[in-house]
Every structure is written in structure tokens, then in C-alpha cells.
Amino acid sequence: MTIAKNESRRTRRGWSDLVLAPYSFWSALFIVVPLAFVAYYAFTDNNFQFTTENITRFFTTVNERDGVTTYTYLLIFWRSLKLALISTVICLLLGYPTAYIMANAGDRAQKIMLTLIMIPMWMNFLIRTYAWMTILQDKGILNGFLTSLGLEKIHIIGTESAVIIGMVYDYLPYMVLPIYSVMAKMDVKLLEAARDLGCGSFSVFKRVIFPLSLPGVTNGITMVLIPSISTFYISQKLGSGKFFLIGDAIEGQYVANNLHFAAAMAFILMVVLLIFMELLKCFTAHLYGGGQK
């Protein structure tokens, strides 16, 4: 009997490996191999000799202006991280209640809300960014509306606020959808059991809903933070090219054919994001695995 069970398990494992083989090949070809090339270029010079100069250059390049010395690329990286974190937090504050409302709505309402969230994603990314330029520019739709109300115009285009607005608009669906997918599958019996045991609405949310939704929150944060910190087109158009983000710096080095330094910046960014994702994973695992008492 035991031998038959072991044979059955081996057969299922063999079929599982066979089914996963195309995905594994795809991942290796289009994920692992490109990342390996990025690391290779980051640690080589133009003659493809090993060097750490590209990495060192990122941390040591300085800019002196008006007697003030600033680390150029570290400042760019900090600005990118700051705007990405702000955008991610705003997306979470907007996306979590939206996902909660969707998950608790009727089937018809869920389909309508899901369609409304998905429709902007069907449009080209460039068109959406240009649309926000039309809305936010000094003579745009927003200021025209304020003027019609007798209010003063506001200058948004070319500022960090405009870039944040663009990031939130473009990446908000990536926060809503993972959280909604987790909440929609949540077992209603757990909520009923919590209420039967005397939990109020806030206690049910704190002790049941939020801990169970943490995997979706983690995925949403990851899916918003990574494109936000590496974006370059939003900052170029909505920021009017007045300040650089790390994506702009990488693109600039690539256009200038400085491939090795561009790869070094991409490699550093990748390492920082991997560290952040691991810290986020450990933090959510602590909460989800018993940190909440």
C-alpha cells in the first residue's frame, strides 16, 4: 500500500514538473538571463574587464554648486525613492478601501467597478500621461475650472506633486486588484464566527480581515513601488524635465552609450528593491503569522 502511494506521489510530481517546464524555461530565458547580463555589464568596463568602478562611481560622484557639495546619483536615487514611497502610500490609502468596497458589493456592482478600474489600463501609457499634462498645465483643464469658479490658478505641472499624481493614477489598479482578489476569496464564515464571538466591526477588521488581506497588500505594494521608483516617462512629461529620477539617469546613460554605468545603476536599484521586498515579506509574515494578538 505504501509503495503504491509513493509511486502515485512520484507520478504526480513528474506531471507537475512537466507542466511547469515551459514556465521555468520562459522565466530563465526572459528574467534570469537578462538580470545576469545586467550584473555582468555592471562589473565590467568597456573592454569587458572586471571592475568595481561603475558601482563606486554611483556612490562617489559629486556636484559642487554655490559652495555646497552633493552626491549626484545618491540625491537622484533618494528623490526617486521618496516619490515612489509617497505614491505607494497614497495608492494603498486609496486602493485598500476601494478593494474592500468592491469585495463586499454584489456581483453586478463588482463587475462594474472592476471594469471601471481596468478601462484606463486598456489605453496606452503615453496617452494617459499626455492627458494629465493637458489637465495639469497652467492653461489646462484644472486651472480653467478653477478660474470659472473665481479661484486663483495653481501651478502643478513641472513639480513633484504632478509626478506623484501621474504615478498614483497609472499604478493605482496594481494596488486595488491584488487586494481585491484576496478579499473576494475570503471565507465569510470566519467573519461570522468572529461576530458570534463578540467582535465588533472594528475588531473583525483588525483581527480577521486585515491579517488575511496582508498577502494582497504585500503584492500591491511591490507592484506599485517597483515601477514607481524606476519610471522615467512620467517624470519627463509631468515634471517638465526639471528634475531627474533614477529611471531618467539610467535612460540618459543608455542613450549616451554608457552601457556599463547604466547597468551598474540598474543593478544597485535591483539590489535595493530586493532588500526592501525581503524586509516587507518578513514584516508581513510576522503580522500574518501571529504578530497580532
Side-chain angles (χ1 to χ4, degrees):
M1 188 69 176
T2 304
I3 296 176
K5 288 183 178 179
N6 291 336
E7 287 292 335
S8 178
R9 289 174 182 172
R10 281 195 291 267
T11 301
R12 288 197 299 268
R13 189 179 301 114
W15 278 108
S16 299
D17 293 340
L18 183 63
V19 171
L20 291 174
Y23 173 76
S24 301
F25 174 76
W26 181 274
S27 299
L29 184 62
F30 293 102
I31 298 178
V32 178
V33 173
L35 292 180
F37 271 103
V38 169
Y40 174 71
Y41 270 77
F43 288 97
T44 55
D45 57 19
N46 291 330
N47 296 319
F48 294 97
Q49 300 295 318
F50 175 81
T51 180
T52 59
E53 181 181 354
N54 299 315
I55 304 295
T56 304
R57 178 182 172 186
F58 180 86
F59 292 100
T60 58
T61 301
V62 297
N63 180 30
E64 294 188 4
R65 185 176 181 180
D66 298 330
V68 179
T69 301
T70 56
Y71 288 90
T72 307
Y73 294 108
L74 287 178
L75 179 62
I76 294 173
F77 179 78
W78 164 246
R79 183 187 297 123
S80 305
L81 181 61
K82 178 186 70 174
L83 297 184
L85 287 175
I86 293 174
S87 302
T88 303
V89 170
I90 295 175
C91 285
L92 180 59
L93 294 177
L94 295 176
Y96 194 95
T98 302
Y100 180 80
I101 293 172
M102 289 175 58
N104 288 276
D107 291 340
R108 180 178 175 82
Q110 284 190 32
K111 293 178 181 179
I112 294 174
M113 296 177 70
L114 189 60
T115 302
L116 292 175
I117 291 175
M118 293 292 293
I119 283 177
M121 300 176 67
W122 298 347
M123 293 185 291
N124 186 278
F125 180 82
L126 305 183
I127 295 176
R128 284 180 282 161
T129 305
Y130 270 105
W132 274 106
M133 290 176 61
T134 304
I135 295 172
L136 298 179
Q137 62 186 353
D138 293 339
K139 296 182 180 180
I141 297 174
L142 178 61
N143 280 319
F145 176 72
L146 294 176
T147 303
S148 66
L149 296 178
L151 301 175
E152 294 184 2
K153 294 183 178 180
I154 56 176
H155 176 71
I156 301 180
I157 197 73
T159 65
E160 292 183 352
S161 298
V163 176
I164 292 173
I165 291 173
M167 288 181 179
V168 171
Y169 174 78
D170 284 314
Y171 303 130
L172 181 60
Y174 298 110
M175 181 67 74
V176 174
L177 296 179
I179 300 176
Y180 163 73
S181 64
V182 172
M183 287 186 172
K185 298 175 183 177
M186 201 172 293
D187 192 350
V188 180
K189 295 179 180 179
L190 295 176
L191 308 182
E192 295 175 350
R195 293 189 180 95
D196 290 341
L197 293 172
C199 288
S201 298
F202 180 75
S203 295
V204 171
F205 174 80
K206 177 183 177 182
R207 297 175 182 274
V208 182
I209 297 176
F210 183 71
L212 292 179
S213 65
L214 279 177
V217 172
T218 303
N219 291 335
I221 291 175
T222 302
M223 293 177 67
V224 172
L225 181 66
I226 292 177
S228 295
I229 198 173
S230 58
T231 187
F232 60 92
Y233 193 79
I234 295 176
S235 59
Q236 289 177 2
K237 297 305 178 182
L238 298 183
S240 300
K242 293 181 179 179
F243 50 86
F244 261 23
L245 299 184
I246 192 67
D248 299 307
I250 294 173
E251 184 206 23
Q253 294 298 324
Y254 179 81
V255 172
N257 204 31
N258 297 325
L259 302 182
H260 297 272
F261 186 49
M265 288 191 287
F267 179 80
I268 293 171
L269 178 61
M270 178 177 64
V271 171
V272 171
L273 288 174
L274 288 174
I275 293 174
F276 177 84
M277 290 169 59
E278 188 62 29
L279 292 175
L280 180 63
K281 179 181 177 182
C282 293
F283 176 72
T284 53
H286 170 72
L287 293 180
Y288 187 67
Q292 298 277 349
K293 298 293 184 181

